[in-house]
Amino acid sequence: GQQVMQIPQYQHVQEGEDFTTYCNSSTTLSNIQWYKQRPGGHPVFLIQLVKSGEVKKQKRLTFQFGEAKKNSSLHITATQTTDVGTYFCAATYQLIWGAGTKLIIKP
Amino acid sequence: EAQVTQNPRYLITVTGKKLTVTCSQNMNHEYMSWYRQDPGLGLRQIYYSMNVEVTDKGDVPEGYKVSRKEKRNFPLILESPSPNQTSLYFCASSLRTGNEKLFFGSGTQLSVL
């Protein structure tokens, strides 16, 4: 069936460094959503991208949807401790989820 | 306050003992769904419901049942739990379809011994 591959599984960064997670599909996606799950918490909706080539920003977070609507990325500039958690992408009508990227801030 | 309420938060049970995890939303949402979360696998959908008395299987429905007799409630039933159903479960809802912003409950950590 349709799948969304999300990479990397983990990313360790120093506070202040940037972070990026990628979602890739072999098929065209109707839209893509991004969620954040803090440790011990539940997923919280961040944003939805619908249009080809769409770019949206939320403060230090930049979300992109590829021109072919087969991939998406989330980029965080200058990470802070509050960014720690797992970031998930979710695609298509019945929300096929990526496996998530865990952002870890090095002490 | 708009929310999705799941109970219990933690549950330890033994193989074969029927259990129900409750889910209720106060936002008048039509769409509700259940997910399980396992390390490295992300969220996998178990069942979903587009409205009252309308339910359908997700990706991993085996061993689970659901019902949607009222708009606000969507319980998850494990008739005969097995250890491979040990997982973190989330209920979620959205206004009309699964293609919209999902609101999640706080989760139920289930251990089947």
Side-chain angles (χ1 to χ4, degrees):
Chain A
Q2 195 170 9
Q3 289 185 322
V4 171
M5 301 301 295
Q6 188 172 358
I7 56 171
Q9 188 174 1
Y10 302 93
Q11 189 165 359
H12 295 77
V13 300
Q14 298 277 5
E15 188 173 3
E17 291 182 339
D18 292 357
F19 162 85
T20 306
T21 173
Y22 302 90
C23 283
N24 300 294
S25 170
S26 57
T27 59
T28 302
L29 306 172
S30 57
N31 63 29
I32 197 156
Q33 298 177 350
W34 286 92
Y35 291 79
K36 176 184 178 182
Q37 184 178 22
R38 294 182 185 274
H42 58 276
V44 174
F45 177 84
L46 293 176
I47 208 159
Q48 177 165 288
L49 306 174
V50 178
K51 299 177 183 176
S52 168
E54 191 168 14
V55 178
K56 288 189 176 180
K57 293 191 176 184
Q58 290 179 351
K59 297 183 180 178
R60 295 177 294 104
L61 278 63
T62 302
F63 305 85
Q64 294 190 12
F65 202 9
E67 292 290 341
K69 300 183 73 173
K70 290 184 177 182
N71 55 72
S72 182
S73 65
L74 159 59
H75 180 83
I76 303 177
T77 304
T79 54
Q80 300 175 358
T81 55
T82 54
D83 297 324
V84 163
T86 302
Y87 293 84
F88 293 95
C89 62
T92 74
Y93 182 76
Q94 289 306 337
L95 291 186
I96 297 169
W97 291 72
T101 297
K102 191 171 185 178
L103 169 57
I104 300 164
I105 303 283
K106 298 177 190 176
Chain B
E1 180 189 354
Q3 59 185 2
V4 178
T5 303
Q6 263 181 259
N7 281 296
R9 185 73 177 87
Y10 301 94
L11 181 57
I12 300 174
T13 190
V14 295
T15 299
K17 186 175 182 180
K18 181 180 178 180
L19 66 90
T20 300
V21 183
T22 63
C23 175
S24 180
Q25 50 90 9
N26 63 0
M27 296 170 279
N28 201 35
H29 283 175
E30 293 184 358
Y31 181 92
M32 297 185 75
S33 62
W34 276 102
Y35 296 87
R36 61 177 289 173
Q37 184 175 29
D38 302 290
L41 296 179
L43 281 88
R44 293 181 291 168
Q45 191 176 52
I46 303 170
Y47 269 94
Y48 64 95
S49 169
M50 299 293 287
N51 213 324
V52 175
E53 301 292 0
V54 180
T55 64
D56 211 342
K57 296 177 180 178
D59 295 327
V60 288
E62 294 77 19
Y64 304 95
K65 285 176 59 177
V66 293
S67 68
R68 188 91 181 273
K69 297 177 182 176
E70 305 165 287
K71 198 170 188 178
R72 63 183 294 123
N73 296 323
F74 191 45
L76 179 69
I77 303 156
L78 284 71
E79 295 269 1
S80 183
S82 62
N84 64 12
Q85 292 178 299
T86 293
S87 187
L88 178 58
Y89 291 86
F90 288 103
C91 179
S93 72
S94 65
L95 187 58
R96 283 183 302 274
T97 73
N99 214 25
E100 299 168 318
K101 174 181 177 180
L102 282 173
F103 294 81
F104 282 84
S106 297
T108 297
Q109 181 63 59
L110 172 65
S111 296
V112 183
L113 306 178

